[in-house]
Amino acid sequence: MKYCQQFQSQLLTWFEENGRKNLPWQVENSYFVWVSEIMLQQTQVIKVIDYFANFIDKFPSIQVLAKADVSDVLQMWSGLGYYNRARNIHKTAVICHEDYHNALPLDLNELIALPGIGKTTAGAILSLSFNLPYPILDGNVKRVVSRVYEVKADKLSQLDKKLWKIVEQLIPQKNPKNHNQALMDLGSMICTRSKPKCNQCPLKNICLASKNNTIEFYPQKKAKTKQVPITLYALLSVVDNKVLLHQRNNKGIWAELWFLPLFSTESELSKMVDQHEHKTFEITHVLSHRILTIKVSVIYAEPDQKNPEDIWQDLSKIKNIPHPTALLKVLEFL
């Protein structure tokens, strides 16, 4: 492939001077790398750092994580979003505990077979932990490679295949760990989604998008996910500095997390609050596929009827149970 060796050498030279080398998961520990890679999906590095430190403090090994209750894992994940990531981390830890002697497998296909681990995460585990020559293709890497080689496809389903072929050719046999980390750093720090710092890029002399002034067209854009508007009706019942919470079932929005009791219609909620003096307000909360309008009725009393499985949670201890960020937004009213 054209410019392959030049790409590798210029990238690594830049990394030696400018790359990130002191992140808390940059150690020869596949468990740390795995957890960080899952957290970094859809989440910025600056936010992940504290979550990662707290998570590792609570679950310092695969064995400890495997023996933990999934509710404890979700609680440590509260606020990061995309909670299936946390459930899959727990499922994978259990499998590794039972089948792999509390370690992640070193085989690419065995890694990919584990819950929540795709080809990129598996490549990151093998290259960043063990310095094995496996490529990665996260969002940052896609952006760099797409621009340098002006990668496009008639069908978006073919785009990833083209990009994988390129990163597989680019991965060096010597020091693939630094190569992959450098690619991620370059995409995060220089080749950013908007306002890329092309004048600081070590690859500007071989970047076709820079040469042809087509940066804005790469990576090739996918169709935007349509966000469905949904209205929820919630009861905020407060007594003695405690709030009534309900645990969601294991499907749908905020599965297994604690939130306010929800009702399917405004009239159902009205039946719960009409006998009490109450206030109303609403908030908007945006998820990847949904725009939620949460209409909240507030009473400072115990409702006439409640689910026997609901709990009264001290407002100062909300963070002790798994909850969505939307709950904190609602409680700001208080």
Side-chain angles (χ1 to χ4, degrees), residues 114-184:
L114 294 169
I117 296 182
K119 191 174 178 181
T120 284
T121 301
I125 292 168
L126 294 172
S127 63
L128 302 180
S129 304
F130 304 106
N131 210 15
L132 296 173
Y134 290 92
I136 58 176
L137 191 62
D138 71 353
N140 289 315
V141 176
K142 283 183 181 181
R143 195 159 52 251
V144 172
V145 173
S146 294
R147 288 172 174 170
V148 170
Y149 292 100
E150 284 194 325
V151 184
K152 54 188 175 183
D154 292 333
K155 294 182 180 179
L156 289 174
S157 59
Q158 299 170 350
L159 188 62
D160 277 3
K161 291 181 180 178
K162 286 188 172 185
L163 290 168
W164 271 113
K165 185 176 180 179
I166 292 173
V167 294
E168 285 165 359
Q169 291 175 312
L170 283 172
I171 191 77
Q173 294 298 306
K174 182 180 179 181
N175 208 355
K177 173 181 178 178
N178 282 0
H179 173 88
N180 280 344
Q181 186 63 56
L183 264 178
M184 291 189 290

Side-chain angles (χ1 to χ4, degrees), residues 88-245:
N88 285 333
I89 271 188
H90 185 257
K91 290 176 185 176
T92 289
V94 171
I95 294 170
C96 290
H97 172 62
E98 295 176 349
D99 298 343
Y100 294 103
H101 307 289
N102 294 310
L104 287 156
L106 281 172
D107 179 81
L108 180 69
N109 292 323
E110 288 183 1
L111 276 172
I112 293 173
L114 294 169
I117 296 182
K119 191 174 178 181
T120 284
T121 301
I125 292 168
L126 294 172
S127 63
L128 302 180
S129 304
F130 304 106
N131 210 15
L132 296 173
Y134 290 92
I136 58 176
L137 191 62
D138 71 353
N140 289 315
V141 176
K142 283 183 181 181
R143 195 159 52 251
V144 172
V145 173
S146 294
R147 288 172 174 170
V148 170
Y149 292 100
E150 284 194 325
V151 184
K152 54 188 175 183
D154 292 333
K155 294 182 180 179
L156 289 174
S157 59
Q158 299 170 350
L159 188 62
D160 277 3
K161 291 181 180 178
K162 286 188 172 185
L163 290 168
W164 271 113
K165 185 176 180 179
I166 292 173
V167 294
E168 285 165 359
Q169 291 175 312
L170 283 172
I171 191 77
Q173 294 298 306
K174 182 180 179 181
N175 208 355
K177 173 181 178 178
N178 282 0
H179 173 88
N180 280 344
Q181 186 63 56
L183 264 178
M184 291 189 290
D185 286 357
L186 187 66
S188 176
M189 300 162 63
I190 303 296
C191 193
T192 50
R193 186 179 289 107
S194 60
K195 299 180 180 179
K197 305 177 182 69
C198 293
N199 61 323
Q200 300 177 30
C201 180
L203 305 175
K204 62 184 178 182
N205 63 321
I206 61 172
C207 178
L208 294 178
S210 178
K211 177 183 177 181
N212 297 325
N213 199 27
T214 56
I215 290 287
E216 61 185 291
F217 300 111
Y218 297 93
Q220 191 172 344
K221 293 178 174 58
K222 298 180 180 179
K224 287 187 176 181
T225 301
K226 185 177 180 181
Q227 291 177 306
V228 179
I230 296 177
T231 301
L232 303 176
Y233 303 93
L235 171 66
L236 176 52
S237 181
V238 184
V239 176
D240 296 332
N241 214 38
K242 294 182 179 181
V243 62
L244 186 68
L245 297 179

